[in-house]
Amino acid sequence: MIQQMKKIEKRKNRNSNTWACLLFLFACGCMLSGAQAEVAPRAIENFCEDWQFHFGDLEQAEQPGLDDGAWRTLNVPHDWSIEQPMDPKAPGGSSTGYRRGGIGWYRKTFELPKAAEGQKVFIDFDGVYMNSQVWINGHLLGFRPFGYIGFRYDLTPHLNADGENVIAVRTDVKDASSRWYPGGGIYRRVWLTTVDPIHVAHWGNYVTTPKVSETEASVQLRIEVENQRTSAAEVRLKSIILDSAGRRVAEASVSAQIKADDLYEFDQVFTVTNPLLWSPDSPDLYSIVSTVEADGQLVDEVTTPLGIRTFEFTKDRGLIFNGKEMDVKGVCLHQDFGPLGIAYNSRAMERRLEIMREMGCNAIRTSHNPRDPEFYALCDRMGFLVMDEAFDEWKIPKLWQNQAYALYFDEWSERDLSDFIRRDRNHPSVVLWSIGNEINEQYQAQGGAMSARLADIVKQHDTSR
């Protein structure tokens, strides 16, 4: 009883605004690391403003010399499909909101900050629908057909350090690419990330809680650090677990020599005493601030969300969460915002979750594809269980036109599924992975083998669910 009272008192005193805490940590990261620096070593710039947009295809639109002065200026996230007229003869019919497909071009001109000298510069897209191609200064960076998972490109080799740079993005939405309204364009946020050549790899942090009780929790953190310098370096990783009020509850430090152009995975183990357990009723969150030092200099810092909880699905008692039976009261929720389209809107999503909570919902299935990264942070903070779904179809199409993911499954399913798991695996709200929705292969002889292959990919990147 005394221990329960202590836990209640801790909750009363805690600062419930986790985001405010994280902003504080971002500003004070150098103090946490013990290294001297005036700014945080990892710069993440919101890259959403002042894009030029053109609906329809154009030749040479990727070239930096193209005059885009007559194009429309807008901010992303942006859904060009919702702006198109409804067409009762659209091939997708009601499935795609009576909208036809099309091609939309985006361009953005920018200059590099002086702080980027000698650094690696990446562009991160949270989601582009679909068949996106991205160029920097006329150089093709890549193609991603899947419209629901984020991706990163390295801009560094192709940048003009002392002048203007031009990013160009082409989106190509087919007439019948989905069984629901899919939208089109750069419909999630874009970020410009500048880091030292020695840095935490993209989605390279992974936290689990192998042992959990009311008195003690074991926390394991694995972090992949890349050395993209031309010489080896002595690298030190320091990590501190903080509660929601910013108090240190555990810390660890480890060092290793990392060769040039190599990746090393650090492994750290912590013990948290008298942990506040995360659950839908009490979504108590911690955070892990990890700093990377190379040859004694601070070079990177990342924050990993942490929710301490334990759960299992049983055949006779259902879901056992933190040792107790829990009823799952869930909904299947698509990502669009009705007449607002699919352009991600933070407040619209938060309000949607508030409505779900008011009606008694405690779980959400992401019908039928990955969501914006902020969706999972909201579920962590607001206390929703998430069944995180990857695909709506594999190789057998669900629409007779066959313009959806079945076209790309063979070539892209491993990459898309791996990125999906690595991106979302640190969220305590995620308790189930779904590798497919109503998949037609379940009735075919090859279905079992295909399912096993995808399950193996999941387990390569997460063994905790």
Side-chain angles (χ1 to χ4, degrees):
M1 178 63 72
I2 294 176
Q3 191 161 343
Q4 285 181 330
M5 293 177 64
K6 287 182 178 179
K7 284 194 174 186
I8 292 172
E9 188 64 28
K10 286 171 72 177
R11 277 204 185 93
K12 288 181 179 178
N13 293 333
R14 60 187 282 267
N15 178 2
S16 62
N17 192 338
T18 303
W19 289 109
C21 172
L22 293 181
L23 288 173
F24 171 80
L25 296 176
F26 183 78
C28 301
C30 298
M31 296 173 58
L32 290 170
S33 70
Q36 298 298 319
E38 295 182 356
V39 296
R42 173 180 289 248
I44 302 176
E45 176 187 347
N46 187 313
F47 212 55
C48 295
E49 295 185 352
D50 297 328
W51 287 78
Q52 302 298 109
F53 173 74
H54 174 81
F55 182 67
D57 207 4
L58 283 177
E59 293 186 1
Q60 305 297 308
E62 76 280 5
Q63 295 302 319
L66 179 84
D67 182 4
D68 58 16
W71 290 23
R72 175 184 169 194
T73 301
L74 51 75
N75 298 336
V76 298
H78 170 243
D79 175 9
W80 55 251
S81 179
I82 201 68
E83 301 171 349
Q84 306 309 310
M86 298 179 70
D87 182 353
K89 296 182 179 179
S94 60
S95 294
T96 55
Y98 295 101
R99 260 77 176 191
R100 290 185 177 270
I103 293 172
W105 277 94
Y106 297 84
R107 288 166 57 92
K108 181 177 172 67
T109 301
F110 67 101
E111 294 184 0
L112 285 178
K114 291 183 179 180
E117 184 177 354
Q119 304 287 84
K120 301 288 290 184
V121 182
F122 300 98
I123 189 166
D124 294 305
F125 293 87
D126 284 345
V128 181
Y129 197 85
M130 61 178 293
N131 296 314
S132 68
Q133 293 173 280
V134 181
W135 291 263
I136 177 67
N137 297 328
H139 176 85
L140 179 63
L141 296 171
F143 167 71
R144 290 299 290 258
F146 195 40
Y148 299 108
I149 191 67
F151 52 91
R152 161 177 285 190
Y153 291 121
D154 185 358
L155 304 183
T156 315
H158 315 290
L159 290 170
N160 300 318
D162 300 322
E164 291 187 339
N165 297 274
V166 178
I167 285 279
V169 181
R170 183 181 188 267
T171 63
D172 182 2
V173 178
K174 304 304 180 184
D175 280 330
S177 65
S178 175
R179 298 187 302 115
W180 52 85
Y181 174 73
I186 305 178
Y187 74 103
R188 294 179 184 167
R189 287 160 297 186
V190 185
W191 312 90
L192 199 69
T193 301
T194 305
V195 293
D196 189 273
I198 296 178
H199 56 269
V200 175
H202 190 38
W203 298 324
N205 44 333
Y206 175 40
V207 64
T208 57
T209 52
K211 296 181 180 179
V212 176
S213 71
E214 291 188 354
T215 58
E216 186 176 279
S218 173
V219 177
Q220 183 173 34
L221 177 67
R222 294 177 180 172
I223 290 192
E224 298 170 352
V225 175
E226 291 182 288
N227 179 6
Q228 295 183 338
R229 294 183 183 178
T230 57
S231 59
E234 183 70 18
V235 176
R236 184 185 187 192
L237 177 70
K238 298 173 66 176
S239 297
I240 301 170
I241 298 181
L242 302 157
D243 66 16
S244 60
R247 295 183 289 257
R248 299 189 185 200
V249 298
E251 56 187 283
S253 178
V254 63
S255 299
Q257 185 85 2
I258 305 181
K259 298 177 182 178
D261 198 26
D262 200 4
L263 180 147
Y264 184 87
E265 183 179 82
F266 289 92
D267 196 342
Q268 295 180 318
V269 178
F270 312 80
T271 298
V272 177
T273 58
N274 299 322
L276 294 174
L277 302 186
W278 187 95
S279 72
D281 292 331
S282 300
D284 292 294
L285 290 171
Y286 295 83
S287 58
I288 310 177
V289 179
S290 299
T291 54
V292 180
E293 297 177 10
D295 298 325
Q297 298 295 315
L298 179 67
V299 294
D300 200 8
E301 177 181 298
V302 296
T303 298
T304 306
L306 170 63
I308 299 175
R309 81 281 190 266
T310 181
F311 64 91
E312 62 175 328
F313 291 91
T314 66
K315 64 181 181 180
D316 53 348
R317 299 174 60 201
L319 174 62
I320 309 299
F321 205 95
N322 292 335
K324 300 178 181 178
E325 295 183 12
M326 178 180 291
D327 291 335
V328 178
K329 303 172 184 177
V331 298
C332 291
L333 194 64
H334 284 269
Q335 71 168 357
D336 69 275
F337 298 103
L340 300 181
I342 64 163
Y344 187 77
N345 184 304
S346 296
R347 178 53 190 151
M349 178 54 71
E350 183 179 41
R351 177 57 182 147
R352 174 173 286 184
L353 293 179
E354 288 171 352
I355 293 170
M356 296 295 158
R357 185 172 55 189
E358 288 169 2
M359 75 181 204
C361 171
N362 68 357
I364 294 172
R365 176 185 174 199
T366 64
S367 310
H368 298 292
N369 43 259
R371 289 292 186 273
D372 183 276
E374 190 181 56
F375 164 82
Y376 303 93
L378 284 170
C379 290
D380 291 345
R381 178 169 59 85
M382 298 175 71
F384 286 93
L385 305 179
V386 175
M387 178 179 179
D388 209 0
E389 197 152 75
F391 307 124
D392 183 52
E393 65 182 27
W394 295 348
K395 294 182 65 171
I396 301 177
K398 293 182 176 178
L399 296 173
W400 65 269
Q401 295 93 338
N402 191 20
Q403 295 179 331
Y405 195 68
L407 289 173
Y408 312 106
F409 181 84
D410 281 341
E411 181 179 357
W412 285 97
S413 59
E414 181 173 357
R415 174 70 181 276
D416 291 334
L417 184 59
S418 297
D419 286 352
F420 165 63
I421 301 299
R422 286 171 62 86
R423 189 196 68 169
D424 295 347
R425 60 189 175 180
N426 293 322
H427 291 285
S429 56
V430 176
V431 295
L432 279 171
W433 301 116
S434 167
I435 55 176
N437 165 59
E438 299 173 353
I439 296 298
N440 289 328
E441 278 84 355
Q442 65 184 306
Y443 308 110
Q444 306 295 322
Q446 73 272 25
M450 294 176 68
S451 178
R453 180 183 76 89
L454 295 175
D456 287 343
I457 293 170
V458 172
K459 291 173 183 177
Q460 289 175 21
H461 303 287
D462 178 47
T463 58
S464 68
R465 299 170 177 84

